[in-house]
Amino acid sequence: MSFVQLVSAFRLYGADVLLLALGVTLTTSLLKKTVLKTFPKLFVFLPFILGVVYFAVYRMIATGSIAPLAADLGGTLCNGFGCGCAATLYSVVCEKFLQGKTKANPLAPLLEFIPEEKREEAAKTLYEEAKNLSGEELRKYFEETLNTFADPPMSETELLATAELLAEYMDSLEKK
């Protein structure tokens, strides 16, 4: 999705929906990092659920009654879903355009077997040294280094397979 497509998508919503969507984005981000860290599948639906709730509360405050939930439930749900959509777009914009300046370690997604508290350090250590190696040296380096971070230690078969996978992946990165 290009920047022009993102901007045109934001034109679909009114100012009230966009402002509420900003609140939904911030709340979703906060919940992802704190309370709901253990429920990653919920993150897909969270902006839409919060969008409907935020918009319903906004409409009730704006009208001073509960009528938006009773008389115009369809409009409230539609605009609340729009809040969720706009919040998702805000997240995409933040990830794609604002955080794009920090380069993620390409090995980190392949190191899920390493405990989370040591994963970033392991990815950094492995990647920095591996950039200077190739072929058999690279495989040997991964074989020697992986078990220092793995908890519990890997079996010999797992170690060889993982070292081979990481070495092939590093080789493919260098070719690009």
Side-chain angles (χ1 to χ4, degrees):
M1 184 175 267
S2 72
F3 183 72
V4 174
Q5 289 172 319
L6 284 171
V7 171
S8 67
F10 282 123
R11 287 185 34 219
L12 294 173
Y13 307 111
D16 55 348
V17 171
L18 292 176
L19 286 173
L20 288 170
L22 185 60
V24 169
T25 303
L26 295 174
T27 305
T28 302
S29 178
L30 180 68
L31 289 174
K32 279 183 184 180
K33 293 177 183 175
T34 57
V35 180
L36 300 175
K37 207 180 228 184
T38 57
F39 302 107
K41 293 185 180 185
L42 184 62
F43 298 149
V44 174
F45 303 106
L46 191 59
F48 301 102
I49 294 167
L50 288 175
V52 169
V53 170
Y54 278 33
F55 196 80
V57 169
Y58 162 72
R59 292 277 304 262
M60 287 189 300
I61 291 171
T63 60
S65 72
I66 199 163
L69 295 180
D72 190 23
L73 182 62
T76 302
L77 290 176
C78 183
N79 285 322
F81 187 78
C83 272
C85 291
T88 305
L89 285 173
Y90 281 146
S91 297
V92 168
V93 168
C94 289
E95 289 173 8
K96 186 171 184 176
F97 296 109
L98 301 179
Q99 293 178 352
K101 295 176 183 169
T102 60
K103 188 170 183 171
N105 189 312
L107 292 181
L110 301 175
L111 301 175
E112 291 292 320
F113 58 91
I114 295 175
E116 189 174 343
E117 58 274 0
K118 295 194 300 187
R119 192 174 304 146
E120 191 62 38
E121 176 192 352
K124 183 178 179 186
T125 303
L126 290 169
Y127 184 69
E128 290 302 317
E129 187 64 34
K131 288 192 299 189
N132 305 322
L133 302 172
S134 63
E136 194 57 38
E137 292 176 318
L138 185 59
R139 284 171 186 70
K140 279 288 189 203
Y141 172 71
F142 283 136
E143 287 174 24
E144 294 168 359
T145 313
L146 280 173
N147 259 342
T148 60
F149 293 105
D151 188 27
M154 301 167 72
S155 71
E156 186 67 27
T157 307
E158 291 173 326
L159 184 62
L160 291 173
T162 306
E164 180 69 27
L165 172 76
L166 291 173
E168 289 294 325
Y169 182 65
M170 285 298 294
D171 285 340
S172 72
L173 287 176
E174 288 178 13
K175 291 176 184 175
K176 287 183 179 179

